[in-house]
Amino acid sequence: MSGDSCLPQHHTQSDCTSPTPPLACPKTKTCSYRGAVGLGNKYVRLNVGGNLFYTTLQVLTRQNSMLKAMFSGKKEVFTDKEGWILIDRNGKHFGSILCYLRDGTVALPKGRQAVQELLAEAKYYLIQGLVELCQNTLQGNKEQPLCVIPVVTSSKEEERLIQSSSKPVVKLVYNRSNNKYSYTSNSDDNLLKNIELFDRLSLSFNGRVLFIKDVIGDEICCWSFYGQGRKLAEVCCTSIVYATEKKQTKVEFPEARIYEETLNTLLYETMPLPDNSLLEATRRSYSNCGSHSEEEEGPGGAELRERVRRIHVKRFGFTQLSTC
């Protein structure tokens, strides 16, 4: 089979790749490309790791790279008996290499792993522009964690996190080794369910609640809920039971209670201050309604407005709130 027969007849210079099945090991010989200057339109047949490519000397020598050294007579190359130049590299991304040499840019493959593979090839061929393009893409596409869960290692660290947090706090203590009795048959499953529920809640409410893990506490499995720096509730999931006159530790999974207490902590979120312009607009609208006197509002109208004013002062710290 000749080298020309490996390629479809309609291939042109614009084609980046023409993959074919890997070739059998051919007989090779050493040669060098001399006098490339002036032969920029001469076509070159490349066999890169069993993948065949068809391009020109002008493309291969366009940038300062290992390929330019190979095809400018500065570096010996190997060819088989059909004239295909052999490059002992994986040809998976060589098409992207040629496209970058031709156009000065290239659409990078999808996926971090594929970009890393192309980066390795660009480094091998000493194509600095493509190396920088791949590196910038990898740096800009760093995967961000969905949420960060602190794991406390001391009581002082735990207290500092709770007191400094502007969000409500949910803490789970789990440590199976804190037990001197045997566990009941369902305890391990229930302990795992508590941990999985903690992970689900942290994914759902990580923007509004600070979730903390404690793996060295005194309890085996215990939930604690905090709001504005103080403890609101606690759900202990372990108890001691008797089975055949022997004490055993039982771990429970009170899912509904845990959900309830987690939602209750949201009541202690730091509320944003009301918009002053909205309050001013509301005050003016009341002022414009001069026909609505306290007598028309009824005996409870003034009392209701005063109650609302006190709630706003208590919640948002306002010392003055205009009333009609």
Side-chain angles (χ1 to χ4, degrees):
M1 179 181 69
S2 67
D4 293 335
S5 64
C6 295
L7 297 172
Q9 296 302 318
H10 63 275
H11 276 199
T12 64
Q13 179 180 350
S14 61
D15 295 334
C16 289
T17 63
S18 56
T20 63
L23 300 178
C25 182
K27 295 181 179 180
T28 62
K29 63 180 179 179
T30 302
C31 68
S32 62
Y33 266 80
R34 301 186 183 276
V37 178
L39 297 177
N41 292 325
K42 182 178 180 180
Y43 279 90
V44 180
R45 298 179 297 179
L46 302 173
N47 179 348
V48 186
N51 294 281
L52 306 182
F53 300 88
Y54 204 41
T55 187
T56 65
L57 283 175
Q58 183 181 14
V59 171
L60 294 171
T61 59
R62 181 164 294 171
Q63 299 189 23
N64 290 324
S65 65
M66 180 182 291
L67 292 171
K68 182 176 182 179
M70 292 174 62
F71 294 96
S72 298
K74 299 178 181 180
K75 188 179 178 68
E76 292 183 333
V77 297
F78 291 93
T79 62
D80 62 15
K81 63 180 181 179
E82 301 294 340
W84 291 86
I85 298 174
L86 304 176
I87 300 179
D88 188 17
R89 295 292 293 181
N90 190 330
K92 178 180 179 181
H93 298 289
F94 193 75
S96 297
I97 298 289
L98 290 181
C99 287
Y100 184 84
L101 292 176
R102 180 179 293 111
D103 302 325
T105 186
V106 67
L108 297 181
K110 295 182 179 179
R112 188 176 183 85
Q113 179 64 32
V115 176
Q116 289 175 337
E117 293 173 356
L118 178 57
L119 173 60
E121 296 303 305
K123 288 181 176 180
Y124 175 79
Y125 293 111
L126 303 178
I127 306 175
Q128 186 59 33
L130 184 55
V131 169
E132 294 176 357
L133 178 61
C134 293
Q135 289 177 337
N136 293 336
T137 300
L138 292 173
Q139 292 175 359
N141 291 342
K142 289 183 178 178
E143 296 182 359
Q144 300 296 328
L146 294 177
C147 59
V148 178
I149 307 297
V151 179
V152 298
T153 57
S154 67
S155 57
K156 290 184 178 180
E157 181 184 6
E158 174 187 320
E159 182 179 358
R160 179 181 60 81
L161 285 173
I162 294 174
Q163 295 298 327
S164 62
S165 176
S166 60
K167 300 183 290 187
V169 178
V170 174
K171 184 189 73 171
L172 172 63
V173 178
Y174 64 93
N175 191 341
R176 191 180 184 279
S177 62
N178 290 344
N179 184 39
K180 58 182 178 180
Y181 307 113
S182 62
Y183 285 93
T184 59
S185 59
N186 295 329
S187 291
D188 286 336
D189 289 341
N190 287 335
L191 180 60
L192 180 60
K193 289 178 181 179
N194 279 278
I195 297 173
E196 290 175 342
L197 176 59
F198 180 87
D199 292 339
R200 293 200 305 270
L201 291 174
S202 63
L203 290 174
S204 299
F205 298 103
N206 70 89
R208 303 174 64 183
V209 178
L210 173 62
F211 290 86
I212 298 176
K213 284 184 178 180
D214 186 348
V215 295
I216 61 172
D218 296 331
E219 298 290 342
I220 296 173
C221 183
C222 184
W223 296 72
S224 299
F225 305 87
Y226 301 85
Q228 298 179 356
R230 62 187 181 89
K231 194 171 187 177
L232 304 174
E234 182 178 278
V235 178
C236 185
C237 302
T238 56
S239 60
I240 303 298
V241 297
Y242 286 88
T244 64
E245 299 182 354
K246 291 183 180 181
K247 290 183 178 180
Q248 284 188 304
T249 300
K250 180 180 181 181
V251 179
E252 300 176 323
F253 178 51
E255 182 177 11
R257 174 78 188 284
I258 295 168
Y259 264 113
E260 178 186 4
E261 296 298 346
T262 301
L263 295 177
N264 286 340
T265 63
L266 298 178
L267 299 174
Y268 292 83
E269 286 184 281
T270 302
M271 301 295 292
L273 294 176
D275 186 81
N276 289 329
S277 60
L278 179 61
L279 291 176
E280 181 66 16
T282 306
R283 187 190 69 79
R284 289 178 179 174
S285 64
Y286 273 113
S287 300
N288 293 334
C289 300
S291 60
H292 294 280
S293 63
E294 293 185 4
E295 291 77 9
E296 292 175 343
E297 290 178 351
E303 180 182 354
L304 177 60
R305 283 187 285 105
E306 177 63 19
R307 185 182 305 170
V308 172
R309 186 190 70 81
R310 288 199 301 269
I311 292 175
H312 278 74
V313 170
K314 180 178 180 181
R315 178 172 297 178
F316 301 112
F318 281 93
T319 57
Q320 295 183 350
L321 201 78
S322 177
T323 58
C324 298

